[in-house]
Amino acid sequence: MSDKDNTINVFTWLRFPLAVAVVFIHSTGSAISVPAPPVGSAVWGYDVLRLLFSKIIPSFAVPIFFLMSGYFFFLNMRRASIQDSVLETENNGPCQWDWTSYWKKLRRRIKTLLIPYILWNILYALHLSWPTLHQALAGTGGWADWGARLQQLGGWRMLIDSHHIGHLSTAPVLAPLWFLRDLIVAVLAAPLLYWLIRHARWLIIIVLGILYAATNRQPMVGCFFWFSVGSACSIFNINVSDKCNKIRVPVLLAIMATLTAMVWLWSDGDVDKSNVGSLCKTVYILAAVPMVISIVDTLLRHRYVRDHARLTRTAMFVYLSHIFFLTPVMRTMRILIPNGNYGLMSIRYLLVPLIVVTICASLHILWQTFKKRLFVPHS
């Protein structure tokens, strides 16, 4: 297996675990009513668990998704460049821009990004407005009420930026899809990014990295930063896994230091409330991204883990659909395991995202099985 193939395998393997990490980010558990709980107490342990698994540890997930998107976007263009150019030897030179490949990729991204983005936002808007829509269909309410509900959800802006999700950031009505929205913008800007990366090389990455930290990881800036990192690695034929393996000791030290600081100084979960806390989280993400890639590369090389192609194919569906199931599952689990015992609440907190992922992945697998039997003719 070549080094490049191994990097592709690492990114492919990561898709499902990263989708699971995103579900943990959105499953924050029940907030506690105890201000400044004593260190070492059960309530403190529960709050630290929520801080670690919803606010800090999985925060590398979306950056890696962006990095992978940039890497794969230019990967096939690099292959076409190598085939057409007699100047490059041993695949080591930078790939050349190919408008034919770019337009093909754009057409493909319409199917894989734009159409799902629009349809899933519309579906979620219908889900949120269903009570008034049902009344209008049944004749017990007016269509104006349904229209008013859609206006409350942001009107036509629900497809772009109908509400705020944090500092200087917005999201469509289905909030996790801000990732697809920003990725669509990055894909449209790919010709400019390519030109900047080819001519400014790593300077543009450094500038975007500084902006990423200075804006407290503003999502659109983060999108362009991580997408550009992945793009540069593909354009210049950089072995991502190998580079990550070489720096795993310093990044591990950075992870340990920042995790310790964030747990002890911001156990209430609001890491970004101070400049120091925000900087710690930024350093953690910058270190966690190569560390995760290095760990998975090691596991795959030594065959400690196997390919999970069936689960990998569910990753996008898990990402898109988990919000639909998260609230019902949380409500059900709160009935089964009521508040009061923080040990049981910790178990409940960990179970909720796992149950949601199981539901989403199972639905996708069932649909794929049903679709094959329904649409594939039998000989």
Side-chain angles (χ1 to χ4, degrees), residues 3 6-14 18 60-61 63-68 71 226 229-230 233 238-248 251 255 285-301:
D3 291 333
N6 196 62
T7 296
I8 294 173
N9 289 338
V10 168
F11 285 163
T12 302
W13 191 93
L14 272 170
L18 292 179
F60 57 75
I64 295 181
F65 270 133
F66 280 132
L67 187 150
M68 289 164 47
Y71 183 85
W226 291 108
V229 171
C233 291
I238 293 173
N239 186 334
V240 180
S241 299
D242 182 60
K243 294 296 183 182
C244 292
N245 288 332
K246 290 180 178 179
I247 61 172
R248 57 186 167 189
V251 299
I255 290 171
I285 295 173
L286 292 172
V289 168
M291 192 67 204
V292 169
I293 294 173
S294 175
I295 290 173
V296 174
D297 177 65
T298 301
L299 294 175
L300 288 174
R301 283 181 182 274

Side-chain angles (χ1 to χ4, degrees), residues 74 78 88 92-95 193-194 197-198 230-238:
F74 285 96
R78 153 165 285 283
E88 295 176 319
N92 289 324
C95 72
L193 289 176
Y194 173 85
I197 292 170
R198 279 299 306 270
S231 300
C233 291
S234 189
I235 290 170
F236 294 117
N237 196 28
I238 293 173

Side-chain angles (χ1 to χ4, degrees), residues 15-81:
R15 285 175 176 170
F16 180 75
L18 292 179
V20 175
V22 170
V23 179
F24 268 91
I25 291 174
H26 297 142
S27 178
T28 56
S30 299
I32 64 172
S33 57
V34 180
V39 175
S41 63
V43 60
W44 179 84
Y46 168 71
D47 216 26
V48 167
L49 186 71
R50 293 171 58 237
L51 169 68
L52 286 174
F53 286 94
S54 286
K55 297 293 183 71
I56 299 177
I57 291 178
S59 55
F60 57 75
V62 174
I64 295 181
F65 270 133
F66 280 132
L67 187 150
M68 289 164 47
S69 299
Y71 183 85
F72 283 121
F73 188 84
F74 285 96
L75 186 62
N76 290 334
M77 193 176 295
R78 153 165 285 283
R79 289 169 176 167
S81 172

Side-chain angles (χ1 to χ4, degrees), residues 198-359:
R198 279 299 306 270
H199 291 81
R201 293 187 175 267
W202 295 103
L203 177 61
I204 184 62
I205 306 297
I206 294 172
V207 170
L208 288 172
I210 293 173
L211 289 174
Y212 177 62
T215 59
N216 288 345
R217 305 176 309 280
Q218 198 275 340
M220 184 64 78
V221 177
C223 167
F224 274 84
F225 170 62
W226 291 108
F227 187 88
S228 297
V229 171
S231 300
C233 291
S234 189
I235 290 170
F236 294 117
N237 196 28
I238 293 173
N239 186 334
V240 180
S241 299
D242 182 60
K243 294 296 183 182
C244 292
N245 288 332
K246 290 180 178 179
I247 61 172
R248 57 186 167 189
V249 172
V251 299
L252 176 60
L253 295 176
I255 290 171
M256 294 172 61
T258 52
L259 278 179
T260 301
M262 287 185 284
V263 167
W264 284 97
L265 299 179
W266 295 281
S267 59
D268 60 354
D270 193 6
V271 176
D272 286 318
K273 68 182 180 181
S274 72
N275 292 332
V276 176
S278 179
L279 179 61
C280 282
K281 190 170 182 179
T282 301
V283 173
Y284 165 78
I285 295 173
L286 292 172
V289 168
M291 192 67 204
V292 169
I293 294 173
S294 175
I295 290 173
V296 174
D297 177 65
T298 301
L299 294 175
L300 288 174
R301 283 181 182 274
H302 293 86
R303 299 186 179 180
Y304 294 137
V305 295
R306 292 184 295 179
D307 178 38
H308 47 71
R310 204 171 191 184
L311 288 178
T312 298
R313 288 192 290 268
T314 71
M316 187 64 169
F317 184 79
V318 171
Y319 187 95
L320 293 170
S321 65
H322 71 275
I323 293 296
F324 288 84
F325 303 99
L326 195 54
T327 299
V329 170
M330 289 175 66
R331 288 174 178 170
T332 303
M333 292 299 292
R334 283 171 185 164
I335 295 173
L336 297 176
I337 306 178
N339 293 343
N341 185 311
Y342 287 104
L344 292 177
M345 288 172 64
S346 298
I347 295 174
R348 182 186 71 190
Y349 162 74
L350 293 173
L351 283 176
V352 166
L354 297 178
I355 292 172
V356 171
V357 169
T358 301
I359 293 172

Side-chain angles (χ1 to χ4, degrees), residues 113-126 128 149-164 170-185 220:
L113 295 180
L114 183 60
I115 292 177
Y117 176 81
I118 294 173
L119 291 180
W120 279 92
N121 273 304
I122 291 175
L123 182 62
Y124 193 61
L126 293 175
L128 294 179
R149 177 60 177 141
L150 293 179
Q151 287 300 318
Q152 289 177 353
L153 296 175
W156 68 270
R157 298 195 70 90
M158 71 175 68
L159 295 176
I160 305 175
D161 58 351
S162 59
H163 62 278
H164 291 271
T170 60
V173 64
L174 184 52
L177 266 62
W178 69 265
F179 164 76
L180 291 186
R181 178 200 62 192
D182 291 4
L183 184 56
I184 290 170
V185 176
M220 184 64 78

